[in-house]
Amino acid sequence: MLTDGNIAEPQPTSSRWRALTHRSIRNLYPGLEEYAISELVTTMLKWSAAVFDVSGCSPKDKSDSLTATLRAQLRRIAEAVYKLSLVTREDILSTNFEVVLAECGVGFENAIMSNAFSGGHAPGGGREGEKVLCTTELGLKCVTRRGKTHSQSDRDDGETYERRMLLQPKVVLEEAVDAIVA
């Protein structure tokens, strides 16, 4: 039963159903893993090509061996992403884990993000509200059901959930571009 987009079933039940569903999909479509990894590699190659073009790398500079090396490295990343998704969707049943990243253009928040240049490399070191340019390292958040409650704080259909940021995503702020250009 869904209520306002939240699952009203007890967390262990919904977690087991989630894991069972993901395993069943992989059994129904045995080539799904390879397809997902290949698509992610292709997408990352397109993104990399765009970065190379912006940086002035001409097509003649992109040799086949360089592309093959980049494709192999991106494949390792894609395989790690796939394994991470398996762990967070199928293996961990008592707690929901979510990979966290900061969207480009949102305001920086010290409580939920970490400035990649906070070691004094960029001016300001991460003031609240500055715009995020990109995420450089993913974060990890967990949500664990703690039981029934009658208080209004942190309440979902009578259930209490503990939400913890285990690892803040590292971000580069727009001010970093000014520091590089200067």
Side-chain angles (χ1 to χ4, degrees):
M1 172 172 137
L2 292 177
T3 307
D4 296 327
N6 296 320
I7 297 176
E9 290 294 321
Q11 186 172 8
T13 304
S14 61
S15 296
R16 285 186 182 94
W17 273 110
R18 181 190 69 232
L20 180 62
T21 301
H22 284 281
R23 276 192 204 109
S24 296
I25 288 171
R26 286 191 305 114
N27 288 337
L28 287 172
Y29 302 101
L32 184 62
E33 176 179 354
E34 181 57 36
Y35 174 77
I37 290 171
S38 296
E39 283 296 308
L40 184 55
V41 169
T42 300
T43 301
M44 289 190 297
L45 274 173
K46 288 177 187 175
W47 293 341
S48 299
V51 170
F52 292 147
D53 289 340
V54 168
S55 67
C57 180
S58 66
K60 65 179 175 166
D61 295 336
K62 299 175 195 166
S63 67
D64 289 337
S65 64
L66 180 62
T67 303
T69 302
L70 180 59
R71 183 178 291 275
Q73 292 169 343
L74 291 176
R75 182 163 183 86
R76 283 188 22 233
I77 293 170
E79 288 170 350
V81 167
Y82 190 82
K83 287 176 187 172
L84 178 61
S85 73
L86 285 180
V87 168
T88 59
R89 290 185 182 142
E90 294 181 21
D91 294 343
I92 302 168
L93 300 179
S94 63
T95 300
N96 289 331
F97 286 88
E98 299 173 14
V99 175
V100 180
L101 61 94
E103 294 289 327
C104 177
V106 300
F108 178 78
E109 296 181 46
N110 279 319
I112 60 171
M113 301 173 197
S114 176
N115 183 358
F117 290 109
S118 64
H121 300 293
R127 292 184 297 272
E128 290 282 329
E130 290 184 51
K131 298 294 182 196
V132 171
L133 181 64
C134 65
T135 299
T136 59
E137 294 181 27
L138 299 174
L140 186 65
K141 175 173 63 172
C142 76
V143 180
T144 305
R145 180 179 165 265
R146 292 294 180 206
K148 300 260 184 202
T149 184
H150 297 290
S151 71
Q152 291 296 332
S153 63
D154 203 12
R155 188 170 173 202
D156 263 356
D157 223 17
E159 300 289 332
T160 302
Y161 294 89
E162 178 184 3
R163 292 170 173 82
R164 293 181 294 152
M165 184 72 72
L166 300 177
L167 180 64
Q168 293 179 334
K170 283 193 178 178
V171 299
V172 174
L173 304 177
E174 287 182 352
E175 70 174 10
V177 174
D178 297 333
I180 294 170
V181 172

